[in-house]
Amino acid sequence: MKLTIKKILKIMLPLLLGVFLVWYSLNDVPLSKILEYWKASGKNWILLGVFLGLLSHLSRAYRWRFQLEPMGYQVRLGNSIMAVFATYLINYTIPRAGEVARASILTNYEDVPFEKGFGTIVAERIADLLVMLGIIIITLFLQFDFIYAFLMERFNPEKIIMALGLIIIVLLFFTLYVRKSDSKIAVKIKHFTSGLVEGALSIFKMKKKWAFIFHTLFIWGMYVLMFYVTSFAVPELHGVPFGAILIGFISASFSIAATNGGIGLYPLAVYGAFSIFGIDKDPSYAFGWIMWASQTFMIILLGGVSLIYLPVFNRKQS
C-alpha cells in the first residue's frame, strides 16, 4: 500500500506542480496576451527552430549507435530514432521514465540486454552534462563583467565573498568526509562519482569516439541555435544580446530537468533570465511559451507516431 502511494505521488506531484506553474505564469501574463504575440510572431523562425530541434534529436539517435556497436549490437537506425522520440514523450508524463522505456525498446526489438542499453544512456547523459557545464563556463566567461556588476548592484559584495568562502569550506569538508567515511550515504556518493568518471572516460575508449564527440557538440549546438533563431519570431526581442540568449538557454534547460519537460516552468525560467538584462516581461513570457510549445508539439507528434509505428516497423523487418 505504501509503495503504491509513493508511486502515485511520484507521478502526480510533478504533474500538479506543472499545472500550478502554468496557472502562475498565465496569471502573470494572460493567455490572451500570449496569443497576440503568437499571431504576430514570425512563423518561419519558429519552423526553423523546430527543424534545428529535429536535427538534434536525429543526431542523438545516430550517436547512440556508436555506444552500442562495441558491445556487438548493430541497432537499426529506425528503432534508435523512434526510441529517442518515445523517451521525450514519456518524460512528459512520468519523470525519467522515458530513459527506462528507451532501454526497454531496444531490449524488445533489438535483443539488447536492458542493463547494457540503460548503461549507454547513463554514459551519454554524462557527456551531455559535461557539455552543459562547458556552456555555463563559456557564458560566465563571456558575461563576467555583466554578471559581476549585476551581483554587486543587487547584493552586498562582502556578503557574496563570505558566502562563496563558506560554500568552498563546506565543499572541502564534505569531500574529506565522503572520502574517509564508510557510511551508506558516503558509499553511494563515492559509487555515483566513480560511475560518472568511468562513464565519461568510456567515451574515449569507444572505436568511434571522435564521431561521438562531434555529434555531442552538434546536438548542443543545435539546442542553442534553435533557442536563438526562435527568439527572432518575437519582434520585440530583435537585437537581444547573445549573452541574454545563453543565460536564457541555460535557465530554460534547468527548467526541463526540474519538471516534466519544463511544463509551466519553462517560460518562467526564460523570463527570469531575460529580466536580468532589462527585457520586458510580456515578450519574454511569450517567447518562452512559443519556444516550449513548438518543441513540445514536435515531441508529441513524433513521439506518438513512434510509439504507434514501432511494432509495425519491426514486424516488417522480421
Side-chain angles (χ1 to χ4, degrees), residues 1 22 29 92 99 121 135 139 173 186 209 233 236 312:
M1 184 66 178
V22 169
V29 177
Y92 276 93
E99 280 71 21
I121 295 169
I135 292 172
T139 303
F173 275 105
K209 56 179 177 290
E236 288 83 351
V312 178

Side-chain angles (χ1 to χ4, degrees), residues 38 48 54 61 67 128 146-147 164 174 228 240 271 274 279:
W38 165 254
L48 179 57
L54 175 62
Q67 297 170 273
D128 291 335
F146 179 84
I147 294 170
L164 288 173
F174 182 72
Y228 179 56
V240 168
Y271 166 61
F274 281 6
I279 301 170

Side-chain angles (χ1 to χ4, degrees), residues 15-282:
L15 292 175
L16 290 173
L17 176 61
V19 171
F20 169 75
L21 291 170
V22 169
W23 170 82
Y24 179 83
S25 60
L26 292 179
N27 190 51
D28 209 15
V29 177
L31 179 60
S32 57
K33 177 68 72 174
I34 302 295
L35 291 174
E36 286 178 17
Y37 276 97
W38 165 254
K39 290 176 183 177
S41 64
K43 305 302 186 296
N44 288 338
W45 290 113
I46 297 172
L47 288 173
L48 179 57
V50 170
F51 175 69
L52 294 172
L54 175 62
L55 288 180
S56 72
H57 302 323
L58 293 176
S59 180
R60 181 176 293 278
Y62 193 74
R63 180 187 69 170
W64 193 19
R65 300 167 80 226
F66 297 147
Q67 297 170 273
L68 294 162
E69 283 177 7
M71 293 186 286
Y73 300 104
Q74 297 293 328
V75 174
R76 284 166 287 182
L77 183 59
N79 278 333
S80 182
I81 291 171
M82 287 186 281
V84 166
F85 280 114
T87 296
Y88 289 125
L89 178 60
I90 293 169
N91 277 340
Y92 276 93
T93 55
I94 305 172
R96 305 276 68 88
E99 280 71 21
V100 175
R102 183 173 158 192
S104 299
I105 288 170
L106 283 199
T107 301
N108 291 332
Y109 297 118
E110 296 284 354
D111 295 324
V112 178
F114 176 83
E115 63 276 8
K116 290 187 178 182
F118 192 75
T120 60
I121 295 169
V122 172
E124 76 166 36
R125 292 302 187 211
I126 293 169
D128 291 335
L129 177 62
L130 292 174
V131 176
M132 185 63 182
L133 289 174
I135 292 172
I136 293 172
I137 292 169
I138 291 169
T139 303
L140 289 173
F141 178 77
L142 293 176
Q143 295 296 313
F144 178 80
D145 292 339
F146 179 84
I147 294 170
Y148 178 80
F150 175 80
L151 291 174
M152 292 301 105
E153 182 183 334
R154 298 293 179 90
F155 304 100
N156 187 314
E158 292 181 0
K159 289 184 178 180
I160 293 175
I161 294 170
M162 287 177 63
L164 288 173
L166 182 62
I167 290 170
I168 292 170
I169 291 170
V170 170
L171 286 174
L172 285 173
F173 275 105
F174 182 72
T175 303
L176 289 171
Y177 165 76
V178 169
R179 288 185 67 180
K180 294 183 178 181
S181 175
D182 292 324
S183 67
K184 288 184 178 180
I185 295 175
V187 170
K188 284 184 178 180
I189 292 171
K190 282 187 278 191
H191 181 70
F192 177 74
T193 305
S194 64
L196 286 178
V197 174
E198 186 180 352
L201 293 176
S202 69
I203 294 167
F204 296 96
K205 295 176 182 177
M206 67 176 67
K207 187 181 293 184
K208 297 181 179 178
K209 56 179 177 290
W210 294 114
F212 180 92
I213 292 169
F214 167 78
H215 277 276
T216 301
L217 295 175
F218 177 82
I219 289 165
W220 284 89
M222 291 300 100
Y223 284 165
V224 174
L225 199 56
M226 74 181 185
F227 192 88
Y228 179 56
V229 301
T230 307
S231 70
F232 288 106
V234 181
E236 288 83 351
L237 295 182
H238 290 182
V240 168
F242 191 65
I245 294 295
L246 285 175
I247 293 175
F249 169 76
I250 292 167
S251 180
S253 298
F254 280 122
S255 77
I256 293 174
T259 58
N260 294 24
I263 297 174
L265 187 57
Y266 195 97
L268 288 169
V270 171
Y271 166 61
F274 281 6
S275 64
I276 298 173
F277 293 81
I279 301 170
D280 291 338
K281 180 196 296 183
D282 289 3

